[in-house]
Amino acid sequence: MNLSAMELSSEQLQAVLISAKSICVLTGAGVSQESGVPTFRGPGGLWRQYRPEDLAAPEAFERNPLLVWEWYAWRRELIQRAQPNAAHLGLVKIEETVTGRDGQFTLLTQNVDGLHERAGSRNVIRLHGSIWQLRCASCAEEREDYSVPLAPFPPRCSCASLMRPGVVWFGEPLPEDSWQKAADAAAACQVFLVIGTSALVYPAASLPLLGKRNGARVVEINPDSTSVSEIADIAVQSKAAEAFSALARFDRQKERA
Ligand code: NAD
Ligand code: ZN
């Protein structure tokens, strides 16, 4: 049989996924790109004339909370309209398959959009919080809020202070318990699948290497090369939803054969 590069990748990918007892997945903004949610780096990542790195920062919120909130309001609206794509859905299927045979599946995501949960993923560890979570800038108050648009805007706490998005900004530490669970899953897995992250934001970017050092096979899906490509056993150079659609086609072909 003559296999295209994509089919070859699908065959390898399937073989790796089928045999693994424990799978850890790390996703970044790229997994949601085909759902219409812009990534931070690369085309489509700019809002007005600002760079996301200059807005997703505590200093930016201190300087100009309204500007930061306008950017988050724009993203909340985009994300609310977005639908999970073939990659989000494919990960749900892999989780069902792995847990169905008593294996371990852990999805570590840097995304704040909630699309993995909306697709049906269960064991999701959110490393960078959620865009639907609001947190008081002064007291400990927190709440979930899915309303688009937010009213009043910008949102306020019962203590009268401004609320801020419940996400991890550049320079802020990750929630301790999420980080510990992520590091444990990374160190214990047999296969580490890395999808759509530039692997530039630490400490999340260190997780694939932690997996590799503990014996995991590393598989990357990303149209561009990253530092993960250098340690990957398989690097599928394609968009995430395209790769998962190819995998699904490959599955169907095999079922027919
Ligand atoms: P990033 O913007 O730094 O990098 C995106 C990566 O995705 C790049 O390597 C790019 O080549 C790849 N990519 C682009 N389109 C793709 C596709 N269709 N399929 C697969 N890969 C694709 O994103 P990052 O590494 O996640 O780091 C940025 C930070 O920004 C994270 O902390 C995250 O919290 C936040 N962020 C989240 C969202 C979201 O929730 N959807 C969106 C933008 C940024
Ligand atoms: Zn408060």
Side-chain angles (χ1 to χ4, degrees):
M1 192 171 30
N2 230 344
L3 294 173
S4 72
M6 177 66 85
E7 284 165 333
L8 188 63
S9 304
S10 301
E11 190 176 19
Q12 289 178 323
L13 194 54
Q14 234 232 7
V16 168
L17 297 177
I18 267 180
S19 54
K21 285 201 185 66
S22 56
I23 297 185
C24 186
V25 185
L26 173 67
T27 62
V31 80
S32 297
Q33 187 265 335
E34 288 150 286
S35 294
V37 183
T39 59
F40 272 9
R41 296 171 185 85
L46 295 179
W47 176 75
R48 300 188 192 165
Q49 72 274 37
Y50 300 96
R51 295 187 320 140
E53 291 90 334
D54 296 336
L55 293 165
E59 302 78 32
F61 192 73
E62 270 161 39
R63 228 176 8 245
N64 195 341
L66 191 60
L67 174 73
V68 171
W69 260 120
E70 281 172 353
W71 181 56
Y72 276 94
W74 171 73
R75 293 180 62 211
R76 283 167 64 103
E77 200 183 319
L78 269 178
I79 290 168
Q80 193 200 44
R81 283 201 307 263
Q83 295 300 326
N85 65 46
H88 299 105
L89 297 169
L91 289 171
V92 176
K93 226 177 145 194
I94 295 175
E95 179 170 21
E96 283 167 358
T97 310
V98 175
T99 53
R101 55 169 191 249
D102 289 331
Q104 287 291 323
F105 179 95
T106 314
L107 175 46
L108 316 174
T109 188
Q110 299 171 84
N111 293 349
V112 297
D113 56 30
L115 286 177
H116 286 303
E117 290 90 337
R118 262 167 64 190
S121 285
R122 286 169 177 275
N123 194 18
V124 182
I125 297 176
R126 278 194 240 126
L127 294 169
H128 293 164
S130 164
I131 201 163
W132 306 113
Q133 191 77 18
L134 309 186
R135 196 162 82 222
C136 179
S138 309
C139 75
E141 183 88 7
E142 269 192 68
R143 65 164 187 265
E144 261 189 349
D145 191 330
Y146 289 87
S147 49
V148 174
L150 279 162
F153 187 82
R156 288 201 177 265
C157 177
S158 53
C159 81
S161 286
L162 279 179
M163 299 294 272
R164 55 161 279 180
V167 303
V168 176
W169 279 332
F170 290 105
E172 292 183 324
L174 269 54
E176 183 58 39
D177 58 330
S178 306
W179 173 252
Q180 200 48 55
K181 281 185 197 156
D184 289 348
C189 68
Q190 286 180 346
V191 171
F192 200 130
L193 183 55
V194 187
I195 311 174
T197 175
S198 58
L200 290 171
V201 179
Y202 279 82
S206 65
L207 291 166
L209 190 59
L210 179 63
K212 179 86 179 176
R213 289 205 177 117
N214 284 278
R217 296 188 74 183
V218 175
V219 181
E220 182 184 43
I221 302 176
N222 194 316
D224 288 338
S225 296
T226 70
S227 59
V228 175
S229 318
E230 289 159 27
I231 60 158
D233 297 276
I234 303 175
V236 182
Q237 285 221 323
S238 96
K239 291 186 165 197
E242 278 174 16
F244 275 90
S245 302
L247 201 59
R249 273 199 303 280
F250 181 76
D251 265 353
R252 284 196 297 273
Q253 262 173 25
K254 269 198 9 181
E255 272 164 27
R256 278 200 299 271

